[in-house]
């Protein structure tokens, strides 16, 4: 498995952004920004970044919290502070870094899980990139925080091919998101099955393969 490393990048607003990076040993197929779950940069997130590099993708995961990991009540507190402008600034830095490594915009994508999936869809509705994948995202009908929109409110604004992967036991909210996505002017799909299955992993990889050539 490819080794990950952590670097610190400077932002235009004076902040510093920690990122976890994994580079493929072979030719680079493109670049993926990986957006973490509510607990932060977990071992699972690092494994995902590494696994994407094993598949040939240059992967970079911005640390969206000031702390790498949060626990207990701190999780809810961190999520409530999420701000769309700051998140877009953080992901923009990751995209700039990919560009500096020679990855063109049409070969850049974003993938997110849990709250990262929510942010990934917001990015897909705000930035022109190659493709996006959202896995099991909250905040569909009601905003995840005061600084983020509800996903149904940005669904029609998608500017890149978007794939949503949700549990097969999800509520009516997911059906409403599917209906909202239909009105977008780009390729989109929303599927339901066990999000921890091999099929979910294959679907995500195939989506990037199909739209980022």
């Amino acid at each position: 498995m490819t080794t990950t490393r952590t670097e610190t990048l400077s932002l235009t607003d004076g902040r510093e952004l920690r990122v976890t990076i994994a580079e493929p040993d072979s030719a680079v197929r493109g670049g993926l920004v990986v957006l973490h779950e509510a607990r932060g940069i977990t071992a699972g997130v690092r494994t995902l970044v590494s696994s994407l590099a094993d598949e040939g993708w240059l992967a970079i995961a911005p640390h969206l919290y000031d702390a790498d990991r949060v626990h207990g009540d701190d999780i809810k507190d961190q999520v409530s502070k999420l701000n769309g402008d700051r998140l877009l600034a953080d992901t923009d830095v990751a995209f700039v870094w990919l560009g500096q490594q020679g990855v063109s915009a049409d070969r850049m994508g974003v993938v997110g899980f849990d709250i990262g999936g929510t942010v990934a869809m917001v990015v897909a509705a705000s930035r022109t990139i190659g493709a996006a994948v959202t896995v099991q995202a909250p905040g569909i009908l009601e905003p995840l925080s005061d600084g983020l929109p509800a996903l149904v409110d940005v669904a029609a604004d998608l500017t890149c091919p978007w794939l949503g992967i949700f549990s097969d036991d999800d509520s009516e909210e997911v059906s409403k998101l599917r209906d909202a996505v239909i009105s977008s002017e780009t390729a989109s799909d929303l599927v339901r099955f066990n999000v921890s299955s091999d099929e979910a992993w294959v679907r995500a990889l195939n989506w990037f393969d199909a739209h980022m050539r």
Side-chain angles (χ1 to χ4, degrees):
M1 183 172 289
T2 305
T3 302
T4 63
R5 70 178 189 273
T6 299
E7 295 186 2
T8 300
L9 305 178
S10 297
L11 280 71
T12 56
D13 61 6
R15 292 187 296 120
E16 291 186 333
L17 176 68
R18 285 166 57 80
V19 295
T20 292
I21 295 167
E23 300 185 44
D25 294 329
S26 56
V28 175
R29 305 169 70 175
L32 294 177
V33 175
V34 181
L35 301 176
H36 63 69
E37 57 173 300
R39 294 176 297 168
I41 301 293
T42 63
V45 173
R46 295 183 190 278
T47 297
L48 173 63
V49 171
S50 178
S51 298
L52 289 169
D54 288 341
E55 296 289 337
W57 298 99
L58 179 56
I60 176 171
H63 297 206
L64 303 178
Y65 300 153
D66 293 332
D68 289 349
R69 287 287 309 275
V70 293
H71 307 273
D73 292 339
D74 290 339
I75 297 176
K76 184 176 181 180
D77 181 59
Q78 286 289 345
V79 172
S80 69
K81 294 177 180 177
L82 291 176
N83 176 275
D85 290 338
R86 175 169 173 169
L87 292 170
L88 287 173
D90 290 352
T91 54
D92 281 348
V93 168
F95 289 131
V96 168
W97 183 86
L98 288 174
Q100 292 171 340
Q101 313 313 308
V103 180
S104 59
D106 61 340
R107 292 171 56 238
M108 295 180 191
V110 61
V111 55
F113 299 77
D114 186 41
I115 65 159
T118 305
V119 178
M121 190 170 185
V122 173
V123 171
S126 307
R127 299 292 184 265
T128 303
I129 53 176
V133 173
T134 286
V135 182
Q136 200 61 17
I140 295 176
L141 300 183
E142 297 293 332
L144 194 58
S145 71
D146 290 341
L148 285 173
L151 294 186
V152 291
D153 293 336
V154 299
D157 299 326
L158 290 171
T159 59
C160 70
W162 175 84
L163 170 65
I165 300 175
F166 290 85
S167 295
D168 54 11
D169 59 351
D170 263 321
S171 67
E172 187 179 344
E173 288 188 352
V174 176
S175 295
K176 291 183 178 180
L177 180 59
R178 175 188 279 123
D179 292 342
V181 166
I182 292 174
S183 61
S184 69
E185 297 182 357
T186 187
S188 62
D189 194 12
L190 192 154
V191 295
R192 293 186 181 190
F193 45 72
N194 184 346
V195 296
S196 62
S197 68
D198 291 341
E199 185 180 0
W201 172 251
V202 171
R203 283 287 192 110
L205 292 178
N206 287 346
W207 189 259
F208 288 125
D209 285 338
H211 297 287
M212 293 167 54
R213 295 181 177 179

